[in-house]
Amino acid sequence: AVAVFTGKANCPYYAKAELLADYLQTNLPNFRVHKITQDPDKWEQWLHDTCETNGWEHRQCPIIWRELLDRGGKGQLLGGLNDFLEYAQRYYGITSMMLSEEMSDIAEENLQAHLATVKEDEEIKSLIKPMHIWITSASVPICYHLIPLLANGEVFGMTTEISIHLLDADQFKEILRGIVMEAEDMAFPLLRSISEHTKIDQAFIDADIIIVLDDVLLNLEVQSLENYIREVGEICQVYAPMIEKNAKSEVKVISSGKTFANLKATMLRTYGPSIRPENIIAVATSWESAAKAMLARKLNMNIAGVKDVIVWGNITGSNYIDLSHAKLYGYDSAIWGPPNFHRLLLNMIYDSEWLHAELLSVQSTLSSRLSRCTGMLPAHAVATVLRYWYHGSPSQETVSVGILSKGQFGIPEGINFSMPVRFQNGNWEVMTELEINEMTQKVLERLSHELVQEKLVALKEINEMHPYEPE
């Protein structure tokens, strides 16, 4: 059997008991000791839980019991200090003569040693603490597909552990609970923890990454577009202060979903002025992927060979799929070259009528397909952008991302606008070296106007209901 001694680190009675235990273990070959020193602030709760679990009645410090290793089941309670002194005297004829002053000195040493151990443990844990990822509106299908992509190590690397926090309204608590249980059952080696949350005042604590998936059920026959914009603004007005209050200072915020991806990013920045503007982006990769797939089918080639398709403007609204910079790698034609050899896509599509017709309909075609998707494509898009953000995007390739405009390409400042960027060293930079033609410039002006109006409507609607002065 093993005698287990547990008490508060600063308790003199625990000090006396453990010193006598050390003496017995040194001098008796079959007497084994296991000591558990508890933080004084956590002692009462720990004692209550332990006694409740084992069916014991004990309210003093220390508590001592025997673990009957060869019999199984719960241990045998011996009691407190006096019980142990009587036990030692009866079975081994040994008595402790320690004075009260000695007990107090040793208790103080125990406390200092305990605090030093706790500090060392915290320092070690800080080196391996997980990355905290918060997902809002987490009951949606995108989240279900996103969790395995985040937890398998491909996004952040095989040495980075993550903790996922699912946030949604209380009515979706059972759905969140089901997602948590299923993710736990999958036993991802890099998933330190996954939990559900329904209280907004506890949202985004220690967040390294926040993925905003909130959507509105857009039906213009039910209510006006202005009302839907107001809903989006209200959501962001709730989230932004909590992000500022609870998240880490360098938190990265990603806006995704089927509606108002750009507007959500804009309003989070508007109502969260201390959030680093470069760290709030909207994901356009779903549109890039769908457009590349459409082109690859037309050209009968591998979709991986289609590069540099640019999505401009309002990702989940009016956008422009720009093919003027698109390149083809590995295209089966009369001319071949090394792996880095490419052809301009516009030079390879001779059916200009098809291209013109497809470009005109691509907005409605892709919008319809993306609105019906089960969540696999947008989940993959979010994971891809995160991987690029942390590990860099492929060299010389463009990635379309909704960012806060600073006037690039003549786009007005202060709106979130999708444009071509490259990721490098944990940051992104706009590919301003790209030349755009006159037609594209006119399209960007029209798309900019739409996003400016969207922002103005959101601010007007919100301020009329809840006067607020963003910094």
Side-chain angles (χ1 to χ4, degrees), residues 101-117:
E101 186 176 340
E102 293 177 291
M103 292 164 55
S104 298
D105 290 343
I106 294 174
E108 179 61 27
E109 290 178 8
N110 280 346
L111 178 60
Q112 296 307 316
H114 175 74
L115 294 175
T117 302

Side-chain angles (χ1 to χ4, degrees), residues 288-306:
E288 276 188 8
S289 299
K292 289 175 181 178
M294 178 193 75
L295 294 166
R297 284 192 294 270
K298 172 65 177 177
L299 295 166
N300 193 29
M301 64 175 292
N302 188 338
I303 185 175
V306 183

Side-chain angles (χ1 to χ4, degrees), residues 222-417:
V222 175
Q223 61 177 337
S224 67
L225 181 63
E226 288 75 12
N227 284 338
Y228 288 115
I229 290 174
R230 174 178 56 79
E231 286 184 31
V232 173
E234 287 181 331
I235 291 170
C236 296
Q237 196 175 23
V238 172
Y239 284 166
M242 299 311 301
I243 294 173
E244 290 183 303
K245 177 183 176 183
N246 292 336
K248 293 178 181 173
S249 59
E250 289 296 308
V251 62
K252 291 177 168 61
V253 183
I254 290 184
S255 174
S256 184
K258 299 178 181 179
T259 58
F260 298 109
N262 295 67
L263 181 62
K264 285 183 290 188
T266 299
M267 300 311 292
L268 286 171
R269 169 59 187 162
T270 301
Y271 293 117
S274 69
I275 304 171
R276 189 168 178 253
E278 292 81 6
N279 281 8
I280 305 178
I281 66 174
V283 175
T285 318
S286 295
W287 287 86
E288 276 188 8
S289 299
K292 289 175 181 178
M294 178 193 75
L295 294 166
R297 284 192 294 270
K298 172 65 177 177
L299 295 166
N300 193 29
M301 64 175 292
N302 188 338
I303 185 175
V306 183
K307 309 287 186 184
D308 297 345
V309 173
I310 300 172
V311 180
W312 296 95
N314 193 351
I315 296 165
T316 50
S318 296
N319 58 46
Y320 171 52
I321 310 295
D322 183 3
L323 305 182
S324 61
H325 302 276
K327 304 179 183 67
L328 305 179
Y329 292 79
Y331 179 59
D332 188 6
S333 65
I335 302 176
W336 282 80
N340 62 348
F341 175 75
H342 63 267
R343 312 292 298 276
L344 289 176
L345 180 142
L346 293 181
N347 291 342
M348 296 296 100
I349 295 183
Y350 300 104
D351 190 350
S352 58
E353 290 186 8
W354 173 87
L355 183 61
H356 182 68
E358 284 298 308
L359 285 176
L360 289 176
S361 66
V362 72
Q363 171 75 31
S364 58
T365 302
L366 295 183
S367 179
S368 175
R369 287 180 58 193
L370 291 172
S371 66
R372 295 196 307 268
C373 75
T374 61
M376 191 184 307
L377 177 57
H380 180 265
V382 170
T384 299
V385 168
L386 275 172
R387 187 175 73 251
Y388 290 167
W389 208 342
Y390 279 85
H391 300 290
S393 54
S395 176
Q396 303 304 315
E397 287 187 31
T398 65
V399 183
S400 301
V401 172
I403 62 167
L404 186 70
S405 170
K406 293 185 178 179
Q408 303 95 331
F409 304 107
I411 299 164
E413 296 184 22
I415 57 173
N416 187 281
F417 197 94

Side-chain angles (χ1 to χ4, degrees), residues 118-131 159-162 192 248:
V118 169
K119 183 179 180 181
E120 184 179 345
D121 289 344
E122 288 177 350
E123 290 175 351
I124 293 173
K125 288 178 181 177
S126 70
L127 298 175
I128 58 171
K129 61 185 176 183
M131 178 180 290
T159 60
T160 302
E161 290 190 343
I162 63 172
R192 175 82 67 85
K248 293 178 181 173

Side-chain angles (χ1 to χ4, degrees), residues 424-440:
Q424 194 172 21
N425 300 322
N427 298 300
W428 51 260
E429 61 177 354
V430 179
M431 300 181 69
T432 51
E433 70 274 15
L434 289 180
E435 296 183 5
I436 56 175
N437 56 38
E438 186 177 345
M439 184 198 77
T440 300

Side-chain angles (χ1 to χ4, degrees), residues 51-77:
C51 290
E52 190 173 88
T53 300
N54 291 279
W56 295 334
E57 286 291 336
H58 189 84
R59 295 293 178 265
Q60 303 167 348
C61 175
I63 180 173
I64 305 164
W65 70 87
R66 295 173 65 215
E67 291 282 359
L68 307 176
L69 301 180
D70 58 339
R71 302 184 191 177
K74 65 182 182 180
Q76 178 185 9
L77 179 65

